[in-house]
Amino acid sequence: MVKKTKFEFTVNELIQNRWSPRAFSDKKIEKEKLQSIFEAARWSASAFNAQPWRFLVAYKGDENYQKIVESMVEFNQLWASKAPVLILNCYAKHFSHNAQINPTAQYDLGQAVAYYSLEATDLGLFVHQMTGFDASKAHKLLGFDDKISVFSVTAMGYLGRVESLPEDMQKMEKAESPRMSQQAFLLNDL
Ligand SMILES: Cc1cc2nc3c(=O)[nH]c(=O)nc-3n(C[C@H](O)[C@H](O)[C@H](O)COP(=O)(O)O)c2cc1C
């Protein structure tokens, strides 16, 4: 299913094709694709080139995957536990060059996630980010130290059948994704 959205201006195909599904197929993601996806994250920009993003990649059936699912709110467990891969998006809290707190680590992480999401889209995959989970629970279950902060989870995989979802989620899956107009977020005229 390709979600057709009303674009007001021209954008590239990757941006046109990206959306966040909840129905994932159980087809595994090829390792080469994951390598390309994280290569995209690797080349994202960051303040001081600190590259504070850290990712834990969990595969359906492994122990880490189960721990991430356990930390999710029930709504997210219902659909995200079908995805072949869950990525725990984390960041290093401190700069390595001076051990100070890195105030832009979350910003840089978000940008790296956006980068890998578009690479995944280009490879025919779909990505659905979520913050509906208990980050401190995930941090504890995975045994991370206090240098790492857990921020969000990404479900990734090939698109599944809408009919595989509970009925209320099927409706959400088919619904249009509303967007503000550019005038609503541009603070001045172009
Ligand atoms: C940081 C972040 C947190 C999100 N948390 C959740 C979540 O917990 N559960 C969920 O179903 N979707 C979640 N989403 C998905 C958004 O609802 C979705 O991206 C938004 O509705 C726009 O739709 P689109 O991605 O299909 O364009 C999250 C997205 C982001 C970026």
Side-chain angles (χ1 to χ4, degrees):
M1 183 173 88
V2 175
K3 256 204 178 174
K4 289 283 171 207
T5 319
K6 292 175 202 118
F7 291 93
E8 291 177 0
F9 299 95
T10 313
V11 285
N12 73 56
E13 275 189 18
L14 284 183
I15 289 170
Q16 288 181 44
N17 293 338
R18 188 213 62 82
W19 62 283
S20 307
R22 294 193 176 83
F24 286 96
S25 117
D26 51 17
K27 183 178 170 190
K28 292 200 169 109
I29 303 178
E30 299 83 345
K31 188 171 178 190
E32 304 71 53
K33 290 198 176 182
L34 288 170
Q35 287 168 327
S36 294
I37 284 160
F38 290 107
E39 189 65 8
R42 183 168 170 246
W43 287 97
S44 180
S46 59
F48 293 105
N49 197 17
Q51 304 162 58
W53 45 80
R54 302 287 182 271
F55 303 109
L56 182 119
V57 184
Y59 303 88
K60 192 165 170 57
D62 77 21
E63 218 178 296
N64 287 339
Y65 186 103
Q66 202 41 46
K67 288 175 181 171
I68 297 171
V69 170
E70 247 177 74
S71 70
M72 288 176 191
V73 298
E74 200 186 339
F75 174 82
N76 286 336
Q77 282 178 341
L78 283 172
W79 60 269
S81 60
K82 307 284 185 304
V85 165
L86 292 176
I87 303 166
L88 196 64
N89 302 308
C90 308
Y91 62 91
K93 289 197 270 187
H94 302 92
F95 286 120
S96 52
H97 66 275
N98 63 6
Q100 299 292 306
I101 290 273
N102 178 350
T104 55
Q106 289 185 2
Y107 182 95
D108 294 342
L109 169 67
Q111 194 160 204
V113 172
Y115 257 51
Y116 81 53
S117 297
L118 291 178
E119 181 67 24
T121 307
D122 196 39
L123 296 170
L125 288 154
F126 285 81
V127 158
H128 196 138
Q129 299 175 56
M130 73 204 85
T131 45
F133 80 115
D134 183 338
S136 43
K137 184 172 178 180
H139 188 280
K140 198 171 166 199
L141 287 174
L142 289 154
F144 292 154
D145 61 32
D146 62 3
K147 294 191 176 89
I148 296 275
S149 258
V150 174
F151 192 82
S152 60
V153 178
T154 300
M156 190 184 280
Y158 291 95
L159 199 59
R161 291 171 46 254
V162 185
E163 300 73 35
S164 66
L165 291 171
E167 226 166 86
D168 50 335
M169 277 193 214
Q170 290 188 26
K171 282 195 194 119
M172 294 167 82
E173 198 82 338
K174 290 173 191 159
E176 222 177 81
S177 191
R179 286 303 195 266
M180 294 190 271
S181 67
Q182 291 192 17
Q183 286 87 337
F185 64 79
L186 286 175
L187 299 176
N188 61 350
D189 293 332
L190 293 179

